[in-house]
Amino acid sequence: MKKVILFLIDSMMPDVLERCIGAKQAPAMQFLLERGQYIPDCVTVFPTMTASVDCSLITGVYPDRHKVPGLVWCDPEKKEMYNYINGAIPIRKIGLAHCAGNVLFDLNERHMSKEVRTIHEVLEENKRVSGSINVIAHRGHKQHKVHLPPLLDAITSFRLREKVSGPTIMSLGTLVRPDIFRPITWNMAQTIAEGYGINDTYAIDVLIEVIRSGKQPDFTLVYLPENDHKLHKNPLDSVQHLAEVDRQLVRFLDSFDSWEQMLERNVCMLISDHGQTMIGESDDHNIPLERLLASFSIHPLTAQISEGKDVVICNNERMSYLYPMNPDKLFPIIEAVSVDPRIDLVAWKENDQVLVRQGGATETLRFWRDGPFRDRYGVRWGFEGDLSVLDVRSEGNVLVFDTYPDAFSRLYGALFAQPSQVVAVTAAVGYEFLSESAPTHLGGGSHGSLHKQDSLIPLLVSGASRQFPTPARLVDVKDFILQELGVSQL
Ligand SMILES: [Zn+2]
């Protein structure tokens, strides 16, 4: 049976992939595309942030079931704020030990629901071997020791000397090294300046070495982060950034006797986690949440949530979660943010229903599960109010989405990831949210919203035994891979 390798390329977008191949800058991707199935409009989950997306990719469910709502979020009941590391300043405020603990341990061992099983868990329960290279969501049945570099060890006061769980073959930069015969030859990609090995070069080095060692797992998920970092800074050079990712894929293909040999032995898939949207250059492209919420007392950015404030802001770039600390504040908060037309959508929940309106407008759309309508993915819904709020058309009893792909399941997924009340706001195209210490990208790229620019991702499947089902969603990838490896989830 063939093995499966899935490359997760951060912020890869369909139009950039097509232009890169058209300009003959992506021979590896072109090779795979010509021998496979290319889906330009696969839909990712919301918010379009790596942490929530990665959890959905490995569990095959939306955040309402895996319970990781975003990159930055808070638990009003436990009175804690979580940040899986989104820039240097917030980390300084919340504390490196707290953030490193969040991303290294809490995400997998505490936050991701035990009610759902990761692809690694399912595969290894079915006598297959699974592998994860540099992916932050990696829960599995094996325990791996974390080797913190001395500097990080000292800064975090030696508090992080725990084990993390993962599949049999597991790599997390230089912090968790895969259990193979030969160590990865040391190079600059493993230094602190290069993120302790959380980079494209090191990920491909590890993959090549794992295959050479004869220990290639039946399934390997490989995370390539650099395209995202470069796009945030220079979105205009998007083709060049993706061409650099392709050079890493060429290195992988060249490690076989021939590129064809790779495909004879493997199903090779490429996917992205989200797109990016260009942010305008002038200051007014940052929507100042603290100014909009000036009549409320706003909780400062800290690890612990204390009593006595009105609202906690958790900024996920082009989306934000606003947590009213008192139920009386819910509607005043909604009213306060709704007035700004730079805000695209404002969504919240009432019992088992989602309510949503556009920034600067008052029409409300309300929807709920298990009604008489169904979407293109076969999920059943009921609704009341103005469908144009989410640019939805109903054709008979079928709901068709356009500007906000798979909008109902994705909004529902984000709002019901937690039992507490929360308001989700998204920024209009060209804008992102500004709040205490959150990283911003004026003149650069950003993501997080429900809009199709952030939400449609390319999916490339090469060497598989059958077609990937369309219309495609990122949450369907887990099941497709399990079937390719002859494993049924039931
Ligand atoms: Zn990003």
Side-chain angles (χ1 to χ4, degrees), residues 392-458:
V392 187
R393 277 181 298 117
S394 81
E395 295 175 357
N397 71 339
V398 178
L399 301 170
V400 182
F401 304 108
D402 182 14
T403 308
Y404 308 104
D406 193 14
F408 282 12
S409 287
R410 298 169 71 220
L411 270 179
Y412 188 96
L415 290 170
F416 285 92
Q418 304 175 256
S420 54
Q421 185 55 274
V422 62
V423 180
V425 287
T426 65
V429 171
Y431 298 88
E432 69 180 348
F433 290 109
L434 177 67
S435 63
E436 184 187 353
S437 307
T440 54
H441 311 88
L442 291 178
S446 184
H447 50 89
S449 84
L450 191 72
H451 191 276
K452 59 185 172 187
Q453 177 64 33
D454 290 350
S455 306
L456 292 180
I457 52 171

Side-chain angles (χ1 to χ4, degrees), residues 74 407 429 488:
C74 101
V429 171
S488 128

Side-chain angles (χ1 to χ4, degrees), residues 371-391:
F373 296 85
R374 61 179 179 81
D375 62 28
R376 289 173 75 208
Y377 310 96
V379 184
R380 287 173 43 225
W381 300 100
F383 72 89
E384 199 180 278
D386 187 355
L387 279 179
S388 72
V389 170
L390 283 175
D391 189 23

Side-chain angles (χ1 to χ4, degrees), residues 6 34 58 78 120 183 189 217 261 263 306 325 390 396:
L6 172 60
E34 284 168 355
I58 67 165
K78 293 207 177 83
H120 306 303
Q261 187 194 52
L263 270 189
S306 54
M325 290 291 101
L390 283 175

Side-chain angles (χ1 to χ4, degrees), residues 350-369:
E350 224 175 74
N351 301 320
D352 56 352
Q353 302 186 344
V354 173
L355 287 85
V356 58
R357 63 163 75 147
Q358 291 176 338
T362 51
E363 292 81 20
T364 305
L365 168 66
R366 152 194 305 270
F367 61 87
W368 56 91
R369 301 202 85 131

